[in-house]
Amino acid sequence: MCKHILNAQVAVRSPCCRKWFDCAECHQEQESHPLLQSFEMTFACKKCKKCFRKDASEFEESDEYCPHCDNHFVIDAKTPKAALSIESEDVRVNSKMLKDDRTREGRKRTIFDPTDEADKLG
């Protein structure tokens, strides 16, 4: 799973070390050598799990699809963005995550507090 491109549709086999990567940044992080660039690229479709080759020097619009399952793999990449959110249910449905720091008006009383009426016996 690629952490750089969230919607990667294919894996690319690098021509230098012949290992599979989702993007060039993944290759750069995991390997100590630079990525060797080549016009012939080997892909593995993540939908049908089949491999195919494409010539990047003659790349046409019809080459944007997997030849086995017609999965469109040339799409705009979605990169992760930092966000701050609460991982819970909707607070309108379940408000257990929220704490109410307000106190009730007046003094809190317990069963052990003597009342003024208890002193008036007799």
Side-chain angles (χ1 to χ4, degrees):
M1 187 91 177
C2 181
K3 65 181 181 182
H4 307 106
I5 301 173
L6 300 177
N7 61 342
Q9 301 292 311
V10 292
V12 182
R13 187 174 186 183
S14 66
C16 48
C17 56
R18 304 183 68 77
K19 294 180 183 176
W20 294 96
F21 298 99
D22 287 337
C23 70
E25 292 178 29
C26 290
H27 180 275
Q28 183 181 0
E29 285 181 358
Q30 296 176 11
E31 300 297 324
S32 59
H33 60 274
L35 180 64
L36 179 66
Q37 295 182 0
S38 172
F39 282 116
E40 185 167 317
M41 300 174 72
T42 306
F43 298 103
C45 180
K46 290 188 174 184
K47 186 176 179 184
C48 67
K49 310 287 190 231
K50 293 184 180 178
C51 298
F52 57 95
R53 290 191 176 128
K54 294 285 182 180
D55 188 7
S57 62
E58 300 174 5
F59 209 78
E60 298 174 0
E61 188 177 338
S62 63
D63 292 332
E64 295 180 358
Y65 297 89
C66 173
H68 304 287
C69 67
D70 288 335
N71 181 27
H72 192 209
F73 65 89
V74 180
I75 56 176
D76 291 332
K78 290 184 183 176
T79 55
K81 295 177 183 165
L84 183 62
S85 65
I86 298 173
E87 295 181 5
S88 70
E89 295 179 19
D90 190 3
V91 293
R92 293 172 289 183
V93 176
N94 184 3
S95 62
K96 292 179 183 175
M97 295 276 301
L98 302 177
K99 181 180 178 186
D100 190 7
D101 290 329
R102 297 177 291 179
T103 58
R104 291 187 180 176
E105 296 295 325
R107 189 177 131 225
K108 290 185 179 180
R109 299 184 63 120
T110 66
I111 60 169
F112 301 107
D113 291 336
T115 62
D116 296 333
E117 286 79 25
D119 293 335
K120 297 180 184 178
L121 291 177

